[in-house]
Amino acid sequence: MKLAITSQRLYSLDALRGFDMFWIIGAEEIFHKMAEITNSPFWNSLSVQFIHPAWHGFAFYDLIFPLFLFLAGVATPYSVGKQLEKGVSRKSLLNRVIKRGLILFLLGVIYNNGLEIRPLEEIRFGSVLGRIGFAYMFANIIYLYTKQRGQIIWFCALLLGYWFLLMFNSTPGYPMGDMTMEGNFVSYLDTLIMPGKLYLDIHDPEGFVSTIPAIPTCLLGIFAGNLLKNGAVDKQKETAVRLIVIGIILIIVAQLWNLVFPINKNLWTSSFTLQCGGISMLLMAVFYYIIDILGHKKWAFFFKVIGMNSILIYMAGGFIDWAYTTSAFFKWLGQLAGDPFNAVVMVFCYIAVQWAFLYVLYKNKIFLRV
């Protein structure tokens, strides 16, 4: 892990990553607060989209995590692929990829449990960063040692294999193919192989086994990254259209698969992978078209500042009391706004404080790289 000065990057990639992290750093509270204040059908419907379904189902908020992993894949041809082109050995790149995956896993453990010594049984090892680390690591290993055809084969095999794993097994005492939290085979395997504690005792949404279908999420990003990187300069619009077409196809297949294999973020089902992958493709195409093809970059600067230090701002939430800082600087503004909209004003201030912190780092060219 190091602080480094970044080289030239795909602007839309950082902007979309920042857009993704924008919701993580607190923007979803705008909709929740407005729903509480107005109790209107409009704001209530938006608020619901920023709450994870209890089990089966899909909401916009479910996309945030997979989109970040997808974008990690998009970056691969620009990072690992570029190093390959420069003649760096696969063995050297393999070591870097494994190191990065393990560091992200370690950061995830720290994020979950803090910097304190605890008994093993009280430590939660499953984490968002851990899943990103392992999925990124395995997807990049596949990228290093296979051509695109091999990557597609791996993509299909992992999704189908995961489907079969769930459909033809279950927790002992439950019918084969049981998809409940108590009866599904994936959660049961996690209780057997994961050390420490699971998030919900019998289930962990970032469990080890459900990382299997997250690898194809990253592989989809790698596929998109290859299209963007290798597309001819005079055919950028065609590249954007290809991303849109692929995205639509993935969403259609996901909806069909959902009929027999429910979309479920908790289990990261194969249909969930395709659903999120399809939407991620569409978002990438839109951001790429507007920013990199049409050249409209100024509006995206706000998101780019966030996207350039995404892991840092995520980790900072575990060590910096942003609510305290926001109140210290902007409590007066909330008082001027008065009830009931002061709560919404303070959400904007909360985001502004974090963005200002990231902007200072951006201006000083300080970026956390793993």
Side-chain angles (χ1 to χ4, degrees):
M1 182 172 63
K2 61 182 179 179
L3 295 174
I5 298 177
T6 188
S7 57
Q8 185 65 35
R9 302 155 69 92
L10 191 65
Y11 201 107
S12 57
L13 174 59
D14 286 318
L16 183 52
R17 186 185 291 113
F19 173 78
D20 192 41
M21 289 302 300
F22 175 67
W23 306 106
I24 294 294
I25 66 176
E28 81 285 354
E29 281 298 316
I30 297 170
F31 302 106
H32 297 324
K33 297 300 182 185
M34 288 300 296
E36 291 174 13
I37 292 168
T38 66
N39 197 31
S40 73
F42 173 76
W43 289 110
N44 283 333
S45 62
L46 288 176
S47 177
V48 168
Q49 286 300 312
F50 288 87
I51 300 173
H52 294 302
W55 194 244
H56 295 323
F58 182 82
F60 174 80
Y61 208 46
D62 290 343
L63 176 66
I64 307 303
F65 184 2
L67 175 58
F68 190 94
L69 183 51
F70 172 87
L71 294 175
V74 174
T76 291
Y78 292 91
S79 53
V80 177
K82 188 176 181 181
Q83 293 299 309
L84 277 174
E85 292 170 2
K86 289 181 176 180
V88 179
S89 69
R90 281 183 168 79
K91 182 178 179 181
S92 176
L93 291 172
L94 174 65
N95 291 335
R96 292 186 200 177
V97 164
I98 293 174
K99 180 182 177 182
R100 188 181 190 210
L102 294 177
I103 289 175
L104 284 169
F105 171 73
L106 178 60
L107 289 176
V109 174
I110 293 172
Y111 182 87
N112 280 349
N113 306 282
L115 293 171
E116 62 177 285
I117 299 174
R118 299 184 182 185
L120 179 63
E121 60 271 15
E122 294 182 11
I123 298 175
R124 182 186 171 217
F125 289 91
S127 70
V128 169
L129 289 178
R131 171 156 298 178
I132 291 172
F134 285 137
Y136 162 88
M137 181 177 71
F138 288 115
N140 273 258
I141 291 172
I142 293 170
Y143 172 78
L144 280 171
Y145 291 97
T146 64
K147 302 290 186 181
Q148 190 170 84
R149 182 181 178 183
Q151 293 164 26
I152 293 173
I153 291 172
W154 270 103
F155 174 82
C156 296
L158 289 169
L159 291 183
L160 290 172
Y162 189 69
W163 181 32
F164 295 152
L165 181 69
L166 274 162
M167 288 297 96
F168 296 102
N169 297 280
S170 67
T171 300
Y174 287 83
M176 185 175 66
D178 191 290
M179 290 285 288
T180 64
M181 184 185 297
E182 298 80 10
N184 80 86
F185 192 58
V186 166
S187 297
Y188 172 69
L189 286 180
D190 280 335
T191 63
L192 297 179
I193 66 175
M194 286 185 69
K197 67 176 182 179
L198 274 62
Y199 185 66
L200 297 173
D201 294 328
I202 61 170
H203 169 75
D204 197 308
E206 283 79 51
F208 289 172
V209 180
S210 56
T211 298
I212 294 171
I215 299 170
T217 298
C218 194
L219 286 173
L220 273 176
I222 291 174
F223 183 83
N226 278 324
L227 286 179
L228 294 167
K229 181 174 178 290
N230 300 324
V233 176
D234 60 341
K235 294 186 177 181
Q236 289 179 313
K237 290 184 180 179
E238 287 86 343
T239 299
V241 171
R242 287 186 68 184
L243 290 175
I244 290 173
V245 171
I246 294 170
I248 292 172
I249 292 173
L250 289 172
I251 293 171
I252 292 173
V253 175
Q255 292 302 313
L256 293 174
W257 209 347
N258 177 54
L259 299 176
V260 293
F261 193 30
I263 292 173
N264 184 310
K265 177 186 179 296
N266 277 277
L267 293 173
W268 207 289
T269 53
S270 305
S271 53
F272 175 77
T273 296
L274 296 185
Q275 171 88 352
C276 294
I279 299 174
S280 298
M281 284 277 188
L282 296 180
L283 286 172
M284 189 71 248
V286 170
F287 272 66
Y288 177 65
Y289 181 76
I290 294 174
I291 296 172
D292 291 305
I293 296 179
L294 298 183
H296 300 313
K297 296 182 177 181
K298 289 183 179 180
W299 70 274
F301 178 72
F302 173 85
F303 294 123
K304 183 178 181 179
V305 170
I306 302 173
M308 293 287 282
N309 257 321
S310 52
I311 293 179
L312 185 147
I313 194 61
Y314 181 82
M315 287 296 296
F319 298 92
I320 300 175
D321 190 343
W322 295 114
Y324 177 85
T325 306
T326 302
S327 179
F329 278 102
F330 294 108
K331 188 175 183 179
W332 60 272
L333 189 57
Q335 290 171 330
L336 286 177
D339 290 330
F341 290 99
N342 57 334
V344 179
V345 170
M346 293 307 290
V347 172
F348 280 104
C349 293
Y350 183 83
I351 296 168
V353 166
Q354 294 178 78
W355 191 87
F357 169 72
L358 291 173
Y359 179 72
V360 171
L361 297 179
Y362 177 86
K363 290 297 289 184
N364 288 280
K365 302 185 186 305
I366 299 173
F367 307 106
L368 180 65
R369 297 284 174 257
V370 175

